[in-house]
Amino acid sequence: MISRREFLQASIAASALYGISGFGNWSKLAAQQVLTQDDLLRFDTFGNISLIHVTDIHAHTKPIWFREPEFNIGVGDVRGVPPHVVGQDFIDMFNLTPGSPEAYALTYKDFVALGQTYGKMGGMDRVATIVKAIKADRPDAIVLDGGDTWHGSMTSYLTGGQDMVNIMNALGTEAMTSHWEWTFGTERVFELVAQLNFPFLGQNIFDAEWNEPSEDFPSYTWFERGGAKVAVIGQAFPYMPIANPGWMFPEFSFGIRDERMQEMVDEVRGQGADVVVVLSHNGFDVDRKMASRVSGIDVILTGHTHDALPEPVLVGTTLLIASGSHGKFVTRLDLDVRDGQLMGFRHKLIPVFSDVIAPDPEMAALVDAERAPYKEQLEEVIGHTDSLLYRRGNFGGTWDTLICDAIMSERDTEIAMSPGVRWGASLMPGDAITREDIHSVTSMTYGKVYRSEMTGETIHAILEDVADNLFNTDPYYQQGGDMVRLGGLAYAIDIQKPIGERITGLTLLRTGEALDMARSYTVGGWASVNEGTEGPQIWDVVEEHIRKLGRVSAEPNTAVTVTGN
């Protein structure tokens, strides 16, 4: 008899034959110049339940350029497997056509050239069009938000997340989980949650004093759809007090808490759940491990690591779904649920090509209304770029080069450190750089730029610690974003080495001399998790630097030598 896992594997294979899990055969369409909204939204309705998933929007409400990473290194058992596949390898693995719309949307290959053909992506008015189209086909489709929604733009910073709460309410969201939302502080989180038309989920949000599940945020919520009971369990980002300032939300603790996740799965199954969905902000590899340890989960909608995969990944009998970031994709997942069992699925990662998807008039009006009080500030041109500016990648992008240069210049330091965050839009060569663009890659509630003294030994220890957060072979110890970005400093890293042995060859670029472990160096940086950090805001530092230059050109950082990948 065929097992459930074998059945789901066959479903994935069938989905791939259908067109990369429904992603679509756009190469032919593009060649015929007939790529249309109908093509992007076409879907053979399946089963009795539809899920709509968006995640990691980072408050980007307008269409943007967004270059996918050139480096996404996996370690241990996940080396060379999705999502740790990029560029041509990604194209080959998923049988994409080079130069096609899907290759442009999902990889960095020929990004500048293909961008001229396929245009910007995202925009909440286009996302709303897609959601409404799915709802027209299946009115009871469930809209789920994976978090990192309220943070990441100038307007979200100025409104304290209010703009995104209004927008996600209007989108018809029915549940969300969280991460950067907490960096507005506990009081503001409560103010905004009170305004939501849907639950703010997190089975792993605990009262820090009593070490008990918080009574303020539900662990799960219920939906009755297509004659089946759907339980959606929330999983907030587990490493909040490590990756972000714990002093902003001291009342709460987080953690993976997979034992409690198992309890929640068993609890909802005991209450009659026919299908169990986890709405997660763990990050893909953490979710992959959790799926191997917690039984009874049918679907994990992943978030945090910004991965976009055109096919589900199957772990045991659990489907992992990755829906990208910044409003660039919307996932539709149809499920066939019968007699308390997931019998099959159909999946489509829908790319939000803003030149193809028509804006929804109501959402467009709302987005413009939210931006209106700040329009002049947002659109002020600060300078221009002669090079591609992008962020994503394990060791840095050209935006990071520019930010580090600005810190060293404006704060007069020998070395600059910039956090390895994944969020922020790209800019094409020749583009104007507006104030909004600068905020896209710097906006946060703890963005002051410090200037301090650090010994070479301290700098080395910081790099070793961050590297272990990224390259520890146990996903449960991967507690941050990408590698810290550096200005003024070269080094080599062997990612296969243990902590304390990965980083070698530290060299001060201005002198070419090896870093002296005993000497103190002037270091500038931002996004310190320490309370009371003093200095100007990072966006002001970057703006002043760009204003002085007028035109900027930033190249990828070649001062990092990577081995062991």
Side-chain angles (χ1 to χ4, degrees):
M1 178 180 293
I2 188 170
S3 70
R4 181 163 174 252
R5 174 174 169 80
E6 290 169 332
F7 187 82
L8 291 173
Q9 285 176 323
S11 295
I12 290 177
S15 293
L17 291 172
Y18 167 69
I20 312 176
S21 194
F23 199 68
N25 182 12
W26 304 336
S27 328
K28 183 186 297 183
L29 295 171
Q32 297 171 353
Q33 298 299 305
V34 292
L35 183 61
T36 68
Q37 179 170 304
D38 287 344
D39 297 323
L40 296 180
L41 298 181
R42 185 171 295 116
F43 192 94
D44 292 339
T45 303
F46 180 79
N48 52 336
I49 296 167
S50 292
L51 306 179
I52 302 172
H53 183 229
V54 293
T55 191
D56 294 278
I57 294 169
H58 284 287
H60 283 66
T61 59
K62 289 286 191 177
I64 60 170
W65 303 111
F66 188 86
R67 179 186 187 265
E68 295 296 328
E70 188 170 347
F71 298 95
N72 186 352
I73 298 171
V75 291
D77 293 340
V78 300
R79 184 178 181 182
V81 301
H84 303 291
V85 186
V86 299
Q88 189 61 49
D89 290 338
F90 191 104
I91 290 170
D92 294 341
M93 177 173 286
F94 291 103
N95 195 30
L96 310 182
T97 301
S100 63
E102 63 263 40
Y104 166 67
L106 288 165
T107 77
Y108 71 91
K109 292 286 288 184
D110 302 318
F111 179 77
V112 173
L114 294 178
Q116 307 314 306
T117 299
Y118 301 121
K120 293 183 176 182
M121 300 191 70
M124 292 307 297
D125 50 2
R126 276 76 168 182
V127 170
T129 294
I130 294 171
V131 170
K132 286 184 177 180
I134 297 171
K135 287 272 195 177
D137 178 52
R138 179 161 270 164
D140 60 0
I142 305 168
V143 183
L144 301 171
D145 170 18
D148 275 3
T149 304
W150 303 349
H151 150 276
S153 73
M154 186 172 176
T155 51
S156 67
Y157 176 79
L158 293 173
T159 66
Q162 187 68 59
D163 62 333
M164 291 309 299
V165 166
N166 296 343
I167 287 168
M168 297 309 286
N169 276 340
L171 188 67
T173 310
E174 292 169 86
M176 74 174 292
T177 192
S178 58
H179 171 197
W180 278 89
E181 285 74 12
W182 288 96
T183 63
F184 285 112
T186 299
E187 182 178 352
R188 184 58 176 160
V189 168
F190 275 113
E191 291 173 356
L192 294 175
V193 167
Q195 301 176 47
L196 296 177
N197 298 335
F198 49 88
F200 187 89
L201 302 176
Q203 71 87 21
N204 59 333
I205 304 175
F206 271 46
D207 181 293
E209 181 177 1
W210 297 100
N211 194 33
E212 295 177 347
S214 171
E215 297 179 355
D216 297 305
F217 309 101
S219 296
Y220 54 82
T221 191
W222 289 96
F223 301 92
E224 299 246 359
R225 297 290 192 271
K229 292 184 69 174
V230 182
V232 176
I233 303 172
Q235 176 80 355
F237 180 59
Y239 304 115
M240 287 297 309
I242 299 171
N244 305 96
W247 57 267
M248 290 183 163
F249 38 86
E251 302 87 350
F252 300 101
S253 64
F254 297 82
I256 298 169
R257 304 186 189 275
D258 49 13
E259 291 183 2
R260 184 165 194 272
M261 176 64 77
Q262 184 66 72
E263 292 174 6
M264 293 301 96
V265 173
D266 294 344
E267 185 173 304
V268 297
R269 287 290 187 188
Q271 294 175 21
D274 296 299
V275 62
V276 176
V277 177
V278 172
L279 181 60
S280 174
H281 205 88
N282 274 340
F284 197 93
D285 288 341
V286 176
D287 278 328
R288 181 169 10 218
K289 180 173 178 177
M290 187 175 72
S292 73
R293 292 165 62 91
V294 179
S295 62
I297 301 172
D298 294 297
V299 177
I300 300 179
L301 302 173
T302 73
H304 176 61
T305 40
H306 294 194
D307 308 298
L309 294 179
E311 297 176 15
V313 170
L314 187 63
V315 178
T317 58
T318 302
L319 295 170
L320 270 62
I321 306 296
S323 303
S325 66
H326 292 80
K328 190 175 174 182
F329 300 96
V330 175
T331 286
R332 175 174 178 174
L333 180 65
D334 279 17
L335 306 175
D336 179 14
V337 178
R338 285 174 277 153
D339 301 322
Q341 289 284 320
L342 174 59
M343 303 302 295
F345 72 93
R346 185 162 292 156
H347 165 270
K348 186 171 185 177
L349 181 69
I350 303 169
V352 187
F353 286 106
S354 60
D355 289 344
V356 178
I357 303 292
D360 174 72
E362 293 179 359
M363 183 62 80
L366 176 57
V367 168
D368 288 344
E370 296 294 340
R371 293 167 56 87
Y374 318 104
K375 189 174 188 296
E376 186 175 335
Q377 299 177 60
L378 293 166
E379 297 179 357
E380 182 177 347
V381 174
I382 308 303
H384 290 78
T385 180
D386 292 325
S387 60
L388 174 66
L389 296 179
Y390 62 91
R391 159 139 302 147
R392 278 305 312 275
N394 288 145
F395 295 97
T398 51
W399 260 122
D400 301 297
T401 300
L402 181 58
I403 291 169
C404 287
D405 286 348
I407 292 170
M408 290 189 293
S409 174
E410 300 302 315
R411 298 292 278 157
D412 188 23
T413 67
E414 297 170 281
I415 296 167
M417 293 185 176
S418 188
V421 295
R422 299 182 180 93
W423 41 265
S426 306
L427 288 179
M428 289 292 194
D431 278 355
I433 304 173
T434 66
R435 182 172 290 114
E436 180 175 27
D437 295 326
I438 295 171
H439 274 260
S440 169
V441 292
T442 60
S443 185
M444 61 164 59
T445 56
Y446 53 104
K448 290 184 177 181
V449 182
Y450 61 82
R451 185 181 190 276
S452 66
E453 298 283 325
M454 295 185 189
T455 64
E457 183 179 17
T458 298
I459 293 168
H460 179 254
I462 290 171
L463 296 183
E464 287 283 0
D465 184 61
V466 176
D468 197 59
N469 279 342
L470 182 58
F471 297 118
N472 194 300
T473 54
D474 185 343
Y476 279 15
Y477 289 93
Q478 295 173 6
Q479 300 170 346
D482 285 320
M483 189 64 183
V484 61
R485 282 65 162 116
L486 295 175
L489 196 63
Y491 68 95
I493 178 171
D494 184 341
I495 63 174
Q496 298 299 327
K497 295 283 189 180
I499 187 170
E501 300 179 20
R502 289 191 179 98
I503 307 296
T504 58
L506 284 161
T507 304
L508 190 66
L509 290 176
R510 66 166 57 180
T511 65
E513 297 175 350
L515 208 66
D516 185 338
M517 294 295 104
R519 186 199 141 184
S520 288
Y521 298 87
T522 55
V523 179
W526 62 290
S528 170
V529 298
N530 297 322
E531 190 172 8
T533 300
E534 296 183 353
Q537 294 286 6
I538 182 61
W539 48 85
D540 291 332
V541 171
V542 175
E543 179 175 322
E544 182 64 21
H545 182 66
I546 293 173
R547 279 192 187 279
K548 289 177 180 177
L549 296 176
R551 300 194 73 90
V552 302
S553 181
E555 299 303 319
N557 185 353
T558 58
V560 181
T561 302
V562 182
T563 58
N565 52 329

